[in-house]
Amino acid sequence: KLEESLESAINQLVQGTAADRRFDSQRWGKLFVSSIRPYFRTLRDVKRFTNTFSFHFELYKNGDTFDANPIDLIALEVLRQFEGPIYQRLHSAKELLTGSHRSLLGPWRISELQEAAKALSENANRPDEAKDILSDLFPSFARALLESGDKNVLSVPHAAAFRNEWLRDLRSCHPDMFERYFRFSLSGEDLSESELSSLLDAAGNRDSFAGKLRELNGKKLLRPAVQALGVHSQLIPSESTLSFVTGLFDLERELFLH
């Protein structure tokens, strides 16, 4: 009954919205059974969770688009409600969680990463489940536990190989996506999915495409826009190649400044 109640509430929120297109059923099934389900012991837990999650879910709706990965939102909300001390430490651990491991003296040592990962997940209410959720959300966290024997190195994706995929899926483990999951909204420096969709639609017309780029440049969004175009280039039809490339050349000066 607990499982049915929780899944029914989540389905009612997600189905029929733009978030449904990013809902990976295989990933969700594995994460739900092994890590999320054990946190819910009563129907009161379910109701309390769905009430707050539904509020946060609405904040990421943007017309016909959705500006977050729904499974990441669910997993982070579980941590927020049931593992409060861990959740409070996540934002300050951005470098560890997104794979940009830098210290003041250069790249972090393996031992530093291990210590940071262990410190992040210590004193959990449910240690195994908390680690599994963090490992699913943040592969860089999982890799930081490798030397301690907590994970199999071959089973954990490396950031360099999957970073474009994570950006395309709006995953919280990508450095450019991370902040939005802790603001519960987009900042002025975030490219929304609606703006990206509009830019891709304009790619078939040189003037319109260049105009959209200039508009985004005026909002200081040219860099994330071009980065997003690179990740989503397969969505641009071959017949739009000429207008796409020449439109970029029309922004030569602006692009050079970046």
Side-chain angles (χ1 to χ4, degrees), residues 50-64:
T50 54
N51 283 343
T52 56
F53 176 68
S54 62
F55 174 75
H56 292 150
F57 184 86
E58 291 295 322
L59 296 178
Y60 291 93
K61 284 186 176 179
N62 187 1
D64 295 330

Side-chain angles (χ1 to χ4, degrees), residues 35 38-39 41 82-83 86 123-131:
S35 309
Y39 280 102
R41 296 173 296 175
F82 297 102
E83 299 285 4
I86 291 178
N123 300 323
N125 292 321
R126 304 188 68 94
D128 291 340
E129 287 81 1
K131 279 186 180 181

Side-chain angles (χ1 to χ4, degrees), residues 181-242:
Y181 285 88
F182 298 91
R183 288 191 305 262
F184 297 111
S185 63
L186 299 185
S187 76
E189 298 177 353
D190 285 331
L191 182 74
S192 72
E193 289 300 287
S194 177
E195 288 169 323
L196 173 59
S197 178
S198 177
L199 185 59
L200 289 170
D201 288 343
N205 182 285
R206 174 179 177 173
D207 292 336
S208 297
F209 182 59
K212 286 285 184 183
L213 288 173
R214 289 194 178 94
E215 179 182 329
L216 292 171
N217 187 48
K219 298 178 181 179
K220 299 183 179 180
L221 293 173
L222 185 59
R223 186 197 65 80
V226 173
Q227 184 180 16
L229 285 171
V231 172
H232 294 84
S233 59
Q234 75 280 2
L235 299 179
I236 300 172
S238 57
E239 59 268 23
S240 299
T241 301
L242 182 60

Side-chain angles (χ1 to χ4, degrees), residues 34-35 39 56 58 67 72 78 80-81 84 110 119 122 139 143 150 195 202-203 209 213 229 258:
S34 66
S35 309
Y39 280 102
H56 292 150
E58 291 295 322
D67 290 320
D72 280 24
V78 169
R80 195 180 75 84
Q81 290 202 28
I110 294 297
E122 67 182 3
R143 293 189 70 87
D150 288 0
E195 288 169 323
F209 182 59
L213 288 173
L229 285 171
H258 286 275

Side-chain angles (χ1 to χ4, degrees), residues 128-182:
D128 291 340
E129 287 81 1
K131 279 186 180 181
D132 285 344
I133 290 176
L134 287 171
S135 295
D136 177 88
L137 284 169
F138 306 107
S140 293
F141 167 86
R143 293 189 70 87
L145 296 177
L146 296 180
E147 294 298 323
S148 61
D150 288 0
K151 293 285 181 180
N152 179 349
V153 64
L154 297 178
S155 68
V156 182
H158 194 281
F162 287 85
R163 187 153 285 176
N164 280 352
E165 181 180 327
W166 293 339
L167 180 59
R168 192 160 52 241
D169 292 338
L170 307 184
R171 292 289 307 277
S172 57
C173 55
H174 192 282
D176 289 352
M177 296 290 112
F178 183 84
E179 295 287 345
R180 70 174 58 179
Y181 285 88
F182 298 91

